[in-house]
Amino acid sequence: MLHRYAAAVLALVLAASPLAAQSLAEHTATRYLQSNWNRHGLQQADVADLVVTDEVPGPNGSRIVSLRQAIGGIEIASGPMAVAIDRDGRVVHAAGRLTPGLSRLAVSGGAAISAEAAAAALAQSAGVATRESFRAVSQKASAERETVLSDAGVTRIPSRARLVYAVDGGTLRLAWETTLFLKNGGDWFGQIDAATGRVLHKEDRLVRDAFGPAHASHTSHAPTAAPASTVLAPFASRVAQELRGGTAYRVYAMPLESPIHSAT
């Protein structure tokens, strides 16, 4: 009860302060990490500038807040750190990995190339032949300069590019981060050096699986396995008999996955 009262009082105080733009959970998560940096292998300077990247509901009225480090309003592309806060406003768990020792890393700043040029460099590196040039449809007037790009004839939805600091060895490099969602398959994520256009990192994040051609006419000399219904029926019958109170359940033979796949 005391915890809930304290949380309510803190919420009233925050409502009258500049922190009102943050939710109570966001403020709690930020304050926790800035007070407990040593528990996570960080230095105090590492958590001086934090940004909230997400806040989602958790079980039993809890909230989960994701935090990233930043420099001048531009996120560092590592982490995030997820902080779980219960319904009484208490931090119950924190997990993730932020970049330690930021003060020891050199910072490479300055964006010499545009978001459009960065997207073109990623496409070329991924072997994607664009049908036209990328164009900037819109751009936010913020430090990260988030830009909406045209489809260049190859993406199924508009791509978004923004400036981040990518960890490259002992250097934080200002980079354009974007994903190309291709019409013919492939979700190419990449970080492109904003000074040189060099692709620092790229990966296709589309999940694929290949089972190969079916061999329905293939003849095997291996022993034929008994149908699943024949193998499982005795076991299911014995389990049903041993259940207390005479409780029973229906067993569906393969390949039925569940009752919703059957008419009975």
Side-chain angles (χ1 to χ4, degrees):
M1 189 67 170
L2 181 60
H3 291 295
R4 294 184 181 179
Y5 175 76
V9 171
L10 181 58
L12 291 175
V13 173
L14 290 177
S17 73
L19 291 172
Q22 278 191 321
S23 73
L24 180 60
E26 291 173 353
H27 174 67
T28 301
T30 302
R31 185 180 60 180
Y32 162 81
L33 196 53
Q34 290 181 333
S35 300
N36 296 274
W37 43 269
N38 54 329
R39 294 186 179 183
H40 302 281
L42 301 170
Q43 299 174 2
Q44 192 168 12
D46 296 335
V47 295
D49 191 356
L50 296 172
V51 294
V52 175
T53 60
D54 199 11
E55 180 186 342
V56 296
N60 302 319
S62 63
R63 306 293 295 179
I64 301 173
V65 179
S66 297
L67 299 166
R68 270 187 168 181
Q69 297 156 295
I71 297 177
I74 299 177
E75 292 177 25
I76 297 174
S78 62
M81 176 75 72
V83 181
I85 302 159
D86 69 13
R87 67 174 72 184
D88 295 322
R90 296 172 300 190
V91 173
V92 294
H93 185 65
R97 182 170 176 79
L98 300 181
T99 300
L102 290 181
S103 60
R104 297 194 301 268
L105 300 178
V107 179
S108 172
I113 68 168
S114 64
E116 307 95 283
L122 175 60
Q124 182 179 20
S125 179
V128 177
T130 57
R131 298 177 182 175
E132 56 190 63
S133 299
F134 285 102
R135 292 179 294 101
V137 177
S138 64
Q139 186 175 80
K140 291 183 178 180
S142 61
E144 61 182 12
R145 292 166 53 181
E146 182 177 344
T147 306
V148 177
L149 300 169
S150 64
D151 63 15
V154 293
T155 62
R156 59 184 184 273
I157 59 174
S159 298
R160 294 178 181 270
R162 62 172 186 151
L163 289 172
V164 299
Y165 280 107
V167 181
D168 182 31
T171 302
L172 291 174
R173 297 194 183 279
L174 189 64
W176 287 103
E177 184 176 86
T178 189
T179 301
L180 305 179
F181 301 95
L182 303 179
K183 294 178 180 179
N184 62 350
D187 293 346
W188 282 98
F189 167 85
Q191 294 169 341
I192 303 91
D193 192 321
T196 66
R198 178 171 65 93
V199 177
L200 303 174
H201 172 73
K202 73 174 186 293
E203 61 178 294
D204 186 358
R205 291 185 170 179
L206 182 66
V207 177
R208 294 181 174 85
D209 204 346
F211 295 96
H215 298 286
S217 60
H218 177 69
T219 302
S220 173
H221 298 287
T224 303
S229 57
T230 303
V231 175
L232 297 177
F235 172 76
S237 176
R238 185 171 69 254
V239 171
Q241 291 173 3
E242 293 176 356
L243 288 173
R244 295 180 178 179
T247 305
Y249 61 91
R250 184 186 299 275
V251 176
Y252 292 86
M254 296 289 286
L256 295 179
E257 296 180 15
S258 70
I260 65 173
H261 294 90
S262 172
T264 61

